Structures are given as C-alpha cells and as structure tokens.
Amino acid sequence: MKLQIIISLILAFLLTQAPLIGKYFAMLNTMIHETGHSLVALLTGGEVRNISLFPNTSGVTMTGHSSWLSQLLTSLSGYVFASFVGYFFFYLIIKGHYRWMVYILMALLLINVLFWVRNIYGIFWLVTFGAGFIWLLRTGHQTVIQYVLVFIACLVMVEAVSSAFEIMLLSLFSPSQAGDAANLARIVPFVPAPIFGFMFFGQAAYFFWLAFRRVFLI
C-alpha cells in the first residue's frame, strides 16, 4: 500500500503537468474546491446561483450571502474543503472503505451536474468524468478499481497542495489576481492578500502532512 501511494503521488504530479489531459484530471480538485464554497454558502444561510468550470482548471462559484460572516466563511472554504477531502480520501483508503469513497465522488458529481454547474465545459467535464467513472465501476476488476481510487485520492491531494501554492505565489506577486485571497482581502480590508495566500498553503501542507503521517508513520 505504501509503495502504491508513493507511485500514485508521483504519477498524479506528473499527469497534472501534462498540457491537455493533465488539466482534464486536475479539474477534479477544482470541482471539489467550488463545491466547498457552495456547501458553506448554503450552511451559512446563503445561496448558490451557479458554478462555472473552465478548461484551464479555474472555477467560479456565484453565491449570495445573508451576512458578512457568511461571505467570509464561503470565501475561506474552497481550499480548506479540497485539502480536507484529499485527506479524508486517504483515511478511507487506509481503513479499506473504498465503497464510501465511491459514494462521495458520485454524490459530488451528481449534485454539481444537477444543481450548480451551468457552463458548457463544466457540464461536459462532469458528464464525461462521471461516465468514465461509472464505466470503470461496472466493468473494472476490483483490484483495478482500488488502484484507480488510490490514484484519485493522490490526485486530489497533489492538486490541493499545488493550487494552494500557486495562489500563495499570486498573492505575493499579483495580489489583485489571487482569486480567493484577493476576495478575502476585499472582505477584510485590513488583512492583505499574501496573508490569506500563506494561510491557504499552510493548511494544504498541514493536511498533506496528516495524510503522510497516517500512511507512513502509523
């Protein structure tokens, strides 16, 4: 299992660097990230208007908020949710609960395609990725399915860390273009974007360390 995870982490990193297919698979983390925004918006009394997923792996969630706190928590939630899901997938794998990982993935895909994602590429990605995943579950050998699920967990974790690292760099060198960090700097004017950028990367690194410890040190 440990060797399999190490190989999957390396493959996930290499795959996400590929020009076209890499961005396609990296979109899984974007979908999870935007889902985090949406869930927190709903939990804090806001609303989700729509989600857009784009071929360059960026995403936008349009939400309405009932309060300043709702807006703050919603803006904070994307990177944290993606990192937590990556860690939780590792937890399920270590415990052998592969079926629950399947349920979570299918639920995320279904909720997004039915209720939230409305742009053409976003729907294309959800339908094709979901169809491929269902085909694998129906026709694949149990061992192959488990290997794919381990790879997906590694893919989400690698992208959670790398996307947080990228937003940290953007917050330093192009603060106004730093996505969630820039939004948070507007919501909390006395806290500059780089602080949020470092915070996003710090939590991603922490969840990665928790996953690493669970796999290799316990």
Side-chain angles (χ1 to χ4, degrees):
M1 173 64 76
K2 294 180 180 180
L3 180 60
Q4 179 186 350
I5 290 175
I6 291 174
I7 293 173
S8 294
L9 284 169
I10 294 171
L11 289 176
F13 175 77
L14 293 175
L15 177 63
T16 55
Q17 305 309 304
L20 293 177
I21 191 171
K23 293 185 183 299
Y24 179 86
F25 282 97
M27 183 59 67
L28 177 61
N29 178 73
T30 305
M31 186 267 290
I32 294 172
H33 175 112
E34 302 304 333
T35 301
H37 286 310
S38 301
L39 291 176
V40 172
L42 294 175
L43 289 172
T44 56
E47 63 175 350
V48 181
R49 293 167 183 154
N50 62 75
I51 293 176
S52 297
L53 304 174
F54 301 107
N56 64 353
T57 72
S58 65
V60 175
T61 300
M62 301 299 294
T63 54
H65 306 283
S66 58
S67 66
W68 176 86
L69 182 60
S70 173
Q71 186 179 11
L72 175 67
L73 294 176
T74 299
S75 295
L76 283 168
S77 61
Y79 287 99
V80 178
F81 185 73
S83 299
F84 172 76
V85 169
Y87 166 75
F88 189 57
F89 281 172
F90 269 81
Y91 171 81
L92 292 176
I93 286 169
I94 296 302
K95 294 295 184 180
H97 300 321
Y98 293 96
R99 183 174 299 178
W100 281 104
M101 188 174 164
V102 171
Y103 294 156
I104 292 170
L105 283 168
M106 290 305 301
L108 292 175
L109 291 166
L110 192 61
I111 290 170
N112 275 277
V113 76
L114 289 180
F115 300 111
W116 294 335
V117 175
R118 290 296 175 264
N119 71 311
I120 293 175
Y121 180 79
I123 293 173
F124 164 80
W125 183 86
L126 288 166
V127 171
T128 55
F129 190 90
F133 192 60
I134 292 171
W135 176 83
L136 173 71
L137 296 177
R138 290 175 61 87
T139 63
H141 188 274
Q142 187 66 28
T143 302
V144 174
I145 293 172
Q146 290 181 1
Y147 270 83
V148 171
L149 291 173
V150 171
F151 175 77
I152 287 176
C154 292
L155 178 68
V156 173
M157 184 59 78
V158 165
E159 271 299 295
V161 174
S162 63
S163 62
F165 180 72
E166 290 171 5
I167 208 68
M168 181 183 69
L169 292 181
L170 274 173
S171 70
L172 286 171
F173 301 108
S174 300
S176 63
Q177 306 297 318
D180 290 343
N183 290 337
L184 285 161
R186 287 189 285 270
I187 296 169
V188 190
F190 53 86
V191 180
I195 297 297
F196 292 111
F198 277 99
M199 184 184 68
F200 285 142
F201 179 66
Q203 62 81 31
Y206 176 68
F207 276 111
F208 183 85
W209 177 77
L210 288 178
F212 180 90
R213 187 180 66 173
R214 181 168 290 278
V215 172
F216 297 103
L217 301 182
I218 296 179

